[in-house]
Amino acid sequence: AAVASPKCTTEPKAKWLTEAQMKAKIAALGYTKIKVFQVTGSCYEIYGMNKAGKKAEVYFNPVNGAVVQNNVD
């Protein structure tokens, strides 16, 4: 069953971090091997590997870069 994406922000896209800024934050958080980087609803969403080397699907608040939801395989 598909899981609906979380609500990450109500701020307009003009206030979001740029893709480059968000990618830098994601790298600083230790995520690697990012296969997918996309906008999903009101979130930035990635598929990649977390610091522990586990597959992760992570939703981020696009305004401050905070992790909103983290699904690890």
Side-chain angles (χ1 to χ4, degrees), residues 43-57:
C43 310
Y44 275 129
E45 178 187 13
I46 65 155
Y47 291 90
M49 304 295 248
N50 67 11
K51 279 189 253 194
K54 303 252 189 223
K55 279 199 246 173
E57 172 192 20

Side-chain angles (χ1 to χ4, degrees), residues 9-62:
T9 186
T10 56
E11 293 288 347
K13 286 197 173 177
K15 293 194 175 180
W16 289 21
L17 296 168
T18 65
E19 235 177 77
Q21 290 170 316
M22 194 64 226
K23 286 179 177 177
K25 276 192 173 285
I26 289 166
L29 290 169
Y31 293 97
T32 59
K33 297 182 184 166
I34 307 305
K35 289 188 174 77
V36 174
F37 178 94
Q38 64 191 15
V39 173
T40 302
S42 62
C43 310
Y44 275 129
E45 178 187 13
I46 65 155
Y47 291 90
M49 304 295 248
N50 67 11
K51 279 189 253 194
K54 303 252 189 223
K55 279 199 246 173
E57 172 192 20
V58 189
Y59 293 90
F60 297 91
N61 179 313

